[in-house]
Amino acid sequence: MRSRPWIAFTFLMPALVLLSALVIYPIVYSVFRSTLDASGSGFVGLGNYVEVFTDDDILTAFKNNIIWVIVVPSVCTALGLIFAVLTERVRWGTAFKLIIFMPMAISMLAAGIIFRLVYEQDPQQGVANAVWVGVHDTFAESSAWPGARPRPNAELAESGKGAFTTKSAVSSSDPANLPLVGVPPKDVAGAAPAESAPPAEAGGISGTVWLDFSPGGGGKPDVVDPKEKALEGIKVEAVKGGKVVGTAETAKDGTFTLPSKADGAKLRLPASNFAEPYNGIDWLGSTLVTPSIIGSYVWMWAGFAMVLIAAGLAGVPRELLEAARVDGANEWQVFRKITVPVLAPVLGVVVVTLMINVLKIFDLVYIIAPSASQSEANVLALQLYLSSFGAGSNQGIGSAIAVILLLLVLPVMVVNIRRLRRETRR
């Protein structure tokens, strides 16, 4: 270097040129551009920075970035540590590590498209809601015929909270017909034909609940016609004096029978018969959009944390662990007092790397968050893009956000560089 500096300069020149063109110049220009207005012709000083810290959308982006920086590195590192420790004790540990690490081979674009489909609201399309609805329906009773209702001005009338009740009391001498409409014909394609109920024995109440619609036309209202379909599984309540005195459920042919104490009562079809089916959770709504996107990021990067921690774990002296066990420490104490402190440098690398990464997160948020909730999921990198190239197209604001983002990343980078230097000296 001292005797022939021009040789060192010659080798460094290509790297310096690329560094200046791709890093130094864009940084300097962004700082300069952040002091200009949207057109780039007027000097506004710190005006863009003032707007950045007063705009609601940008403040939401700041808040979300803080959530990302706190939650993501912590969760990914914790999961990576758990996976790395557990896979040491299972027979198929290598295969498990491969499966967990595999999402790292997928680009952010592809992962975003995958999870946009996973979080679809329709349980027929979205895997998350398909699973959630399946679990919910296992423990919760679903309605028999969602959307069914009586005809206008029929004997059945709305009685509050989605239930329907007969206008007059029923008698054991006359079977009660409870016709309904509003059920798509395709939903009753496999249903049995409706049958007129015979009079009940011992003074009971009988009746039929059916879809009062004849395919192809014809038929009479409020009369069970040959082509009309039965509505099976509908709950019928006999109400007298505000109290339920009997309940029944329609059979395959739509008929039901109530005990004799239902004579003189009104018949009610509870709202539970007609409630719309549970449609799951709005994963990409304004409330859950950020946690949902974070979940997709953790799915991708937990494998990265696991691989680094597993590599560090391979270097932990086994004699140290065995000595702790011989001294009477249980597995939790060995993990907390020995494994974690020894892995502290590796855990630091994982946390710092993920912090730098999530500060610049853009792809997943842009792809997964729908336009209706994109403002609630907004982050700084996305806001930089929207401000610079979106509807407002104000590159002064965008440059100011870029400078702020650089200032947020720099301290983390400095800490990481110092840590690497300390490790090198060791």
Side-chain angles (χ1 to χ4, degrees):
M1 286 286 291
R2 293 179 180 177
S3 60
R4 290 180 292 181
W6 60 272
I7 295 179
F9 183 76
T10 302
F11 279 102
L12 289 174
M13 178 57 69
L16 291 174
V17 171
L18 287 175
L19 184 67
S20 300
L22 300 179
V23 178
I24 297 176
Y25 172 74
I27 291 175
V28 173
Y29 182 76
S30 294
V31 174
F32 169 71
R33 185 66 179 83
S34 69
T35 61
L36 304 179
D37 59 11
S39 63
S41 58
F43 181 77
V44 295
L46 299 177
N48 288 327
Y49 293 92
V50 173
E51 185 169 348
V52 164
F53 288 104
T54 55
D55 184 88
D56 290 338
D57 289 337
I58 302 178
L59 291 177
T60 300
F62 272 109
K63 181 195 72 175
N64 288 334
N65 262 103
I66 292 172
I67 294 173
W68 275 83
V69 169
I70 293 174
V71 173
V72 172
S74 305
V75 174
C76 285
T77 305
L79 289 177
L81 180 59
I82 293 170
F83 291 154
V85 171
L86 292 181
T87 49
E88 276 203 331
R89 298 177 175 273
V90 297
R91 184 177 180 182
W92 301 100
T94 303
F96 181 81
K97 288 178 183 177
L98 179 63
I99 294 171
I100 298 297
F101 186 74
M102 201 175 293
M104 284 294 298
I106 302 175
S107 68
M108 285 283 194
L109 173 64
I113 294 172
I114 290 170
F115 275 89
R116 181 64 184 266
L117 296 174
V118 167
Y119 291 135
E120 276 288 340
Q121 176 71 43
D122 185 358
Q124 301 298 323
Q125 299 180 19
V127 175
N129 262 341
V131 174
W132 189 267
V133 169
V135 173
H136 174 274
D137 290 349
T138 301
F139 299 99
E141 186 179 352
S142 57
S143 59
W145 299 97
R149 64 188 185 279
R151 293 181 183 277
N153 303 318
E155 173 63 19
L156 279 170
E158 177 78 37
S159 56
K161 299 182 180 180
F164 300 104
T165 306
T166 55
K167 297 177 181 178
S168 57
V170 294
S171 170
S172 59
S173 60
D174 187 17
N177 287 337
L178 303 177
L180 296 174
V181 294
V183 179
K186 62 183 180 65
D187 291 349
V188 294
E195 299 289 344
S196 297
E201 299 177 359
I205 299 294
S206 63
T208 305
V209 182
W210 81 101
L211 178 63
D212 194 11
F213 170 80
S214 296
K220 296 181 179 179
D222 303 328
V223 175
V224 180
D225 294 307
K227 294 182 181 180
E228 294 177 339
K229 297 289 187 175
L231 298 181
E232 180 185 2
I234 286 188
K235 184 179 180 182
V236 182
E237 296 177 340
V239 181
K240 188 183 293 185
K243 295 182 179 180
V244 177
V245 296
T247 61
E249 189 172 290
T250 56
K252 192 173 183 178
D253 59 0
T255 60
F256 63 90
T257 303
L258 290 162
S260 59
K261 57 184 176 182
D263 188 17
K266 292 183 178 181
L267 300 186
R268 179 172 66 192
L269 304 183
S272 58
N273 292 313
F274 316 113
E276 291 297 326
Y278 181 66
N279 204 35
I281 296 174
D282 188 6
W283 298 102
L284 299 181
S286 58
T287 304
L288 293 177
V289 62
T290 294
S292 298
I293 299 173
I294 287 175
S296 65
Y297 186 94
V298 170
W299 175 78
M300 290 189 67
W301 284 83
F304 164 81
M306 178 197 65
V307 169
L308 287 188
I309 295 170
L313 193 61
V316 175
R318 302 301 161 185
E319 299 82 6
L320 192 61
L321 302 178
E322 291 302 326
R325 293 188 181 101
V326 170
D327 288 341
N330 57 37
E331 291 302 319
W332 169 247
Q333 290 172 326
V334 171
F335 174 76
R336 188 166 57 92
K337 299 289 187 178
I338 306 295
T339 305
V340 173
V342 172
L343 289 176
V346 179
L347 298 178
V349 171
V350 174
V351 170
V352 171
T353 303
L354 290 173
M355 287 178 67
I356 295 173
N357 205 316
V358 299
L359 279 170
K360 302 178 293 180
I361 187 67
F362 167 81
D363 324 55
L364 287 179
V365 180
Y366 185 69
I367 296 167
I368 296 178
S371 56
S373 59
Q374 192 179 76
S375 58
E376 282 78 12
N378 200 10
V379 290
L380 286 175
L382 176 59
Q383 185 60 44
L384 187 159
Y385 170 78
L386 295 176
S387 297
S388 299
F389 308 107
S393 189
N394 189 336
Q395 295 188 7
I397 296 293
S399 298
I401 297 173
V403 172
I404 294 171
L405 197 54
L406 174 65
L407 294 176
L408 291 175
V409 172
L410 277 178
V412 183
M413 294 179 62
V414 169
V415 170
N416 200 28
I417 291 171
R418 288 182 176 179
R419 186 198 54 75
L420 290 174
R421 286 180 178 176
R422 287 196 300 268
E423 291 294 323
T424 304
R425 293 193 191 102
R426 293 177 185 175

